[in-house]
Each structure stands twice: as C-alpha cells, then as structure tokens.
Amino acid sequence: MDFDDTPDEAAFRSHVRSVLEQHADELVHVAPGEQSPDPARHEADFRRTERVLAENGLVGVTWPREHGGQGGTLVQQAIVAQELSRARIPALINHIGLGMCGPTVIAHGSDDQKSRYLARLLRADDVWCQLFSEPASGSDLAALRTSAVRDGEDWIVNGQKVWTTLAHVADYGILLTRTDPSRPKHAGLTMFVVDMHAPGVTVRPLRQMAGGAGFNEVFFDDVRIPDAERLGEPGEGWRVALTTLMNERVTIGGAGTDLGLSPEVLAAHARGRLPSLTPEQQALARQAVGRAVAAALATRYTGYRRFTVLSQGGIPGPEASAGKLGGTTAAKLIADAGVRLLGDEAVYAATADGDDTWQKTQAYLPGLAIAGGTDQVLRNILGERVLGLPPEPRTDKTAPFSGGAGRLSGRVDGSES
Amino acid sequence: MNFDLDQDQRDAAAGAKEFFTEQASPGAARQALEGAGPVRPGRKALADIGFLGITVPESAGGGGGSLLDLAVVAEQGGAVLAGPSLVTAARAAVLLADQPELAAQLADGSAAFAVVDGSPDGSAPSIDAADATTFLALDGTALVVGEGEATPGKPMDATRGLANVRLTSRRVLVEDAGELWARARLAGAVVLAAEDLGAADRAVALGVAYAKEREAFGRPIGSYQAVKHMLVDAWAGVEQLRSLVWWAAWAADAAPEEFPLAAAAAKATAASALERAAETLIQVHGGIGFTWEHDAHLFWRRAKVDRFLLGDEAEHLDAVARLAVAGALG
Ligand SMILES: Cc1cc2nc3c(=O)[nH]c(=O)nc-3n(C[C@H](O)[C@H](O)[C@H](O)COP(=O)(O)OP(=O)(O)OC[C@H]3O[C@@H](n4cnc5c(N)ncnc54)[C@H](O)[C@@H]3O)c2cc1C
C-alpha cells in the first residue's frame, strides 16, 4: 500500500503541473477558501481558460483522439482533476458538456455530428447544457412531457425544461423529448441536439436559494430541430439518456475530490477563529471540526481506493454513487463547522468584514444533494445494484404514457395546474 | 497510487477468516455472556497460530509484520466477535519493543498480558484484563510490568474480558514512557477500529441477507426504502471506516507524522459506524432482532462497549480537530 504515483502517473502529473504553471496568466484562479466566481459573469475568462487547457491536451483526456481528445486513461483524467483543484482552477465552464453531453454524442451521434460538435466543445467554443428535467419530471425522468412531432425533415418541439444548469450561457444542449405518447413512458422518448440560439428557445434564469442564478427554465415554442440533429433512433431516447446518466454519476464525486471546501481550508479557518471563542464554545466547535474533518478524510480515502481500481485498469461501478453521498455529507459538515466558528456572526449572511465564504458554501450545498440524482435516488441505486436488495414494484413501466398525452399539444409551463 | 491490500495481506485475511470462523462465533460470544463457556478462540489458539505476535519483531519470536498486517487479521476476528482482542497484542508489542524476553512471552502466549488504563493502584476497566497474569501499566511516567488482582464487572460484552486491576507487584521497564504509551494506545485504537470494521461489515451483511428473504405486505422488506436506505447508510459507513482503518494502520509504520490524526479519525468513526450497523441489524430483524437467541444483540453489545474503550468518540474527534488545527493536514 502506498499513495505514490506509478512512474508513468508521476511523469504525467509533473507534465500537467508544468502546463498549469506555464500558462498561469491565462487561467482563472480562486483564492484559498474562496468560492468559484460566477461563470456567467466571467464567461469570457472561463471560455479562455478552457481553450488554453484544451490546446495543451488537458481537456477531454479520455476522449478518443479522432474527436480531439487525448485517448488517455481514467487515471490521467483524475490526475488532471486533482491538479486543477490543487492549482485552484475552478470547475470548467463546459463541465456539463465534458462530463455528460460530449460522451453522449460520442456514443450515439452521427459522424457528421461528431465532427461538427466535439472539437469545438472541448475548446469551449461552444458551451453545452443538459435539458432533461421538467417541472413534473426530475427523479422520474421518463415521465417528461416536452413533445417533438415530426414535420418533413424537421421535428417541432414544444414544452418546458427546468433547473437547466448553464442554459443562459449555452450554445447547444442535449434535449430529451417525447415523440410517442402512446407507448410506455420509457419507450416513446427521443434525444436531440438543440441549438440554444434557435428561434422559439427562451431561457429564463432562476434565482437559487444561495442567491446566484446558475440554473434556468427553458421554454420551447414551436422550435424546429432538423432530423440530422437526432441522437440515436426515434423511440430510443431512454437508452441514449442512460449513457448521459451513467457518465453523470461518475463525474460528480466519483474521483474522490472534495465537493465543497476542503478539510485543509477548514483547519486553517479554525486556527484563526478558535482563539476568539469562549472555552465552552471552543470545545463544542472542536467537536464539529473533528467530525467534519473525519468525515471528509473518510470520503477522500474511499475515493483513493476507487482511484486505485482505476490505476489498475478497472472501471467505476455503481459504488461511485457512494462517493457523491459521502462527499455531500462531508461538505455540509465542513460548511456547518466553518459557520459555527464565526461565533455570533454565524447568523449573518456575511461577517462584518464582508466575508461570506462559509455562509455561501452552506447555502450552496443543499443543491448538491439534489442535482444529478437526489440522495434518495442514489441510495436506491446503491441498495439495488451494490447490496443486491430487491427493487421497488413499479406499476408505470408497461402502461402507455397516456397521462401526459392531452397536454403534449400545448406549451407546458410551471403555471399549469 | 496503490491504496489497497497486497496479495500477502489478502491471503492473510482469507486465512484468518477461515481460522476465526472455525474457532469463534457470535454463538460462542453468547455462551460466554451466559457464563456457559470460555471466550473463543482464547489466548492459546491465538498464540499458536501466531496472531499475538504479528507485530513482534522476528528476533523476539514474532512475525515482524506491520500494524496493517495485524489490522487485516483483527478485522476477521471482529466479524465473529472473537476474543481476546488483538488490541492487547498490538499495544503490548509497541510497549515491549525494547524488551525481547517479554515480547517473546507475548508472542508465544506463555504469559497472559493485559495493558491497564488509569491508575495501576485501581485501574479503569481494561480490555483482556479478566484472565491476565501479567500487567503493563503507566505508573506516573514510567512503564511498569507486574502481577495484579483483576476484578471483573458484570460484562456487557463478555468477549472483551474487561476488569479493573490493582497491581500487586511492579518493575520499571522504561522510565520516561509517556510518548511510548501514547503511541501504543493509538496502535490499540486502530486495531480496535479494525475489529469494529469486521463486526460492522458482518452486521450489514446479515441485515442485507434478511431483508432479501423476509416478506411483509406481499414483498421482500428490502424493497421498502425505509429498510433499504438504512442498510445503504450502514454499508456506506462501513466503507468509509475501512478506508480510515487502512490509512491509519498503514501510517503507523509508513507515515508516522500522519498516524495520530489518522488513528483518532479511525477510532471516532468506528464508534459510530459499528453502533449504526448493529442498531440497523436489530431494526431490520424486527422482533426476532430483539431476542436473546438472535446474534444481533451481540454485535450491539460490542458497539456499546467498544465506543468507550481507548477513548470515546468525543475524545477522538477533539484530537482530530486539535491535530488538524495544529497543522497536521498540511
Ligand atoms: C443545482 C442543480 C442543478 C441542476 N442541473 C440540472 C441540469 O443541468 N439539467 C437537468 O436536466 N436537470 C438539472 N437539475 C435537476 C435535477 O436533476 C433534479 O432536480 C433532480 O433529479 C430531482 O428531481 P426533482 O427536482 O423533480 O425532484 P423530485 O423528483 O420531485 O423529488 C422530490 C423528492 O422526492 C424524492 N423522490 C423522488 N423519487 C423518489 C424515489 N423513487 N424514491 C425515493 N425518493 C424519491 C426525492 O429524493 C426528493 O426528495 C439540477 C438540479 C439542481 C438542484
């Protein structure tokens, strides 16, 4: 047992480090303990950062070379992720495109789609979003109602998506629609690539509980999508979506990187704040800090065990979902301990000197326990696929999706009752 | 990165599993609790197979292995609630590092050791003390060895051999032993966490098996989320504990600067992970889980006792925080 890189991994890591140092001036950075800046407000900087990284082979590490990737290993990708976080470079603006949309296009797109989209995606010439969730279908994704109706060489799309991360800066999206409501809910779906600048697409930012606006509602009003933009066969959309969802589970929390602020940042914060608390407060705060650090380290070292599996050529399985579950919990404990250390100022949204790092992190974490599969849905996956427990009975699997049929013709939005 | 056991350790774990499954069981732990049988496998069997000397140097007749080697074996003992605890072997081996004769007696089982906590003139409840003949204790700042009188209380978990001890003779082994004592206690804490890991892992497996089999309202209870999610949380806790136990045991020999924090994190996490696994096991079994005949309460007893031994969760969380604040995380 050791935590050392193999010689190959070490060589790759030092290559990554030297690229990041060499191009430091062109890359977005955050200060220790600082939140990632809003990609929407710093869009140009974020796009440039990703382009520079792509030009140096650090984006799309595992993608095939023919699509502009590096044909590298999952370990190399994990090393890049670790080094980006070590260099305090925030999540890439195209993280949804890279983690979910691109792999879906690679697996199910036509040659023409691959050549038009993938290289540009890697360079963030185009930013992508994932248009799956709807007001009435999140966890139960296959219950979606947004319709696509064939019209000559085009499809005409009507409906509404919601909570679409980055839609307000996105150029393209992968869009899951219902094309045959007479079939059971999983069978009548079709996936498309949609141009987010096409006529009839309206994006409205939604303000999140933390105050920022990272996700949106997206309305489709008679939007025309050429048939050439279909991903996979008509009616095969669920199979295509599963590719996206599997990649999503590995992308979020699969590699053992911290999902919120790190235990090191919490420890430094505690070092500064503990002396200003009363002895009783200190004792209680240390319990909170100790619990958070232990949980974060347990999650980190469990990630290292998965990393080891990758090092030896294995692939991440359903147990990757436990990484997100553990990471979300640890991140919350860290943020809560960080806030507790603020003493009386803990109840304000920022301290007297204007610092809101801890409060803001605290307010961003509930979303993590929902996005990309809620904690409950992840527990279902772990229980059934890892522990082998029986699935829940499902009555909706075989019945035609008639419930939504009447509504499919009109626009479906949040005001509908 | 290679954060995994090596083939030798896997083999050792498989061998230990076979040994412990033959020699001990929760059923034997229940008999011991009823005063109807000895704690199994007992010191002699553990000495004969070499488990008491895994970390004792080869020159003193031991296996010359690492704390991680011992931890993977201890996990298997934990799975069947074996006794006496390898915690005592781990801790005594550290304390006796410069005492080859005594270390040899530890390894071959010719002396029955216990390490006593608290005052040697009236100790705190100490593990494996009930049937020990040779006691190691901290007297002021000196490490002493001697004979003593052990007074067992009514056991919550008979496999732990808990007793209060009063030394009746003592000989100084090391004058200034504060640091050595602390390191030995941490090694013991890691092995305790490893035994808890084994017990928790088994408790989850028993719960999962029952949840697949038992039906209520026309379907297996494991298909109900209230049951499924409880088991998943217990399982996730076990996996997290496993990572900390391996890291801490590895650090003892390979990264001493990380050892105190890693050991404290492992011990604190073990306390809650085993408690949750054992309580989940009882709950998943419903009424049967609350009977004397079912094994569930034996895992629960381990959890309720182990959480207090060698420092409770609060003490170790405090240590994690103090060490992290002092810069141990870099
Ligand atoms: C920050 C953020 C970013 C997001 N980004 C995107 C994006 O880019 N693209 C996109 O398409 N979507 C996105 N989403 C949407 C996200 O995927 C959904 O919110 C999520 O899948 C849950 O769906 P829902 O909101 O409809 O909740 P619901 O499915 O209505 O769930 C409500 C509650 O019921 C529980 N529940 C539902 N089904 C089950 C079940 N089978 N068993 C047990 N409990 C259940 C849930 O756990 C939850 O507690 C984002 C969400 C957030 C918070």
Side-chain angles (χ1 to χ4, degrees), chain A residues 21-301:
Chain A
E21 274 163 32
Q22 222 177 316
H23 295 276
D25 295 348
E26 302 158 78
L27 306 172
V28 174
H29 293 84
V30 291
E34 194 187 59
Q35 287 278 305
S36 169
D38 180 358
R41 249 190 271 155
H42 303 267
E43 192 181 328
D45 296 342
F46 269 82
R47 287 194 190 232
R48 186 189 62 239
T49 295
E50 187 165 328
R51 195 185 64 239
V52 170
L53 294 174
E55 280 163 357
N56 286 281
L58 300 189
V59 181
V61 176
T62 57
W63 289 25
R65 285 189 180 278
E66 57 192 293
H67 304 315
Q70 302 299 311
T73 62
L74 285 165
V75 173
Q76 289 178 332
Q77 180 173 289
I79 288 174
V80 169
Q82 287 172 352
E83 291 304 316
L84 290 177
S85 113
R86 187 175 164 274
R88 304 191 195 290
I89 295 170
L92 301 183
I93 188 166
N94 222 357
H95 63 99
I96 303 232
L98 292 164
M100 281 84 97
C101 306
T104 308
V105 172
I106 290 174
H108 301 281
S110 65
D111 290 344
D112 174 51
Q113 286 170 322
K114 290 177 191 167
S115 68
R116 276 187 290 129
Y117 291 132
L118 295 172
R120 289 180 57 83
L121 188 161
L122 287 176
R123 293 164 45 90
D125 291 340
D126 301 325
V127 170
W128 285 60
C129 63
Q130 176 186 341
L131 299 145
F132 282 17
S133 301
E134 298 185 7
S137 84
S139 304
D140 186 7
L141 178 56
L144 62 86
R145 296 171 183 168
T146 293
S147 70
V149 177
R150 185 82 193 229
D151 181 34
E153 277 310 290
D154 293 341
W155 295 78
I156 298 179
V157 176
N158 282 287
Q160 182 196 344
K161 297 290 172 176
V162 75
W163 307 304
T164 318
T165 303
L166 289 169
H168 53 311
V169 295
D171 304 291
Y172 291 96
I174 52 173
L175 172 69
L176 193 57
T177 65
R178 182 166 308 278
T179 45
D180 189 352
S182 69
R183 301 189 61 198
K185 64 195 237 188
H186 293 88
L189 303 175
T190 305
M191 184 88 89
F192 295 94
V193 174
V194 61
D195 177 353
M196 294 296 287
H197 306 299
V201 178
T202 309
V203 176
R204 280 198 214 139
L206 284 169
R207 193 153 180 228
Q208 300 173 197
M209 61 170 264
F215 60 27
N216 310 267
E217 41 186 2
V218 182
F219 298 92
F220 293 89
D221 248 320
D222 288 333
V223 175
R224 280 192 171 268
I225 301 183
D227 188 53
E229 297 296 5
R230 186 163 36 76
L231 277 176
E233 295 305 310
E236 289 287 303
W238 185 249
R239 204 168 58 85
V240 180
L242 285 181
T243 305
T244 318
L245 298 177
M246 266 161 45
N247 279 288
E248 184 167 37
R249 300 232 153 97
V250 176
T251 301
I252 308 178
T257 35
D258 303 311
L259 287 179
L261 293 170
S262 71
E264 284 80 4
V265 168
L266 175 64
H269 176 57
R271 194 149 46 236
R273 298 293 307 204
L274 276 173
S276 64
L277 304 181
T278 66
E280 291 81 6
Q281 286 174 329
Q282 287 191 29
L284 294 172
R286 280 201 308 272
Q287 286 294 309
V289 169
R291 191 176 297 284
V293 168
L297 293 178
T299 304
R300 182 183 291 178
Y301 283 97

Side-chain angles (χ1 to χ4, degrees), chain A residues 4 271 286 305 380 384, chain B residues 1 228-229 239 318 325:
Chain A
D4 302 334
R271 194 149 46 236
R286 280 201 308 272
R305 281 168 55 208
N380 287 349
E384 289 163 24
Chain B
M1 175 165 315
K228 182 178 289 168
H229 291 189
E239 285 308 305
D318 194 73
V325 168

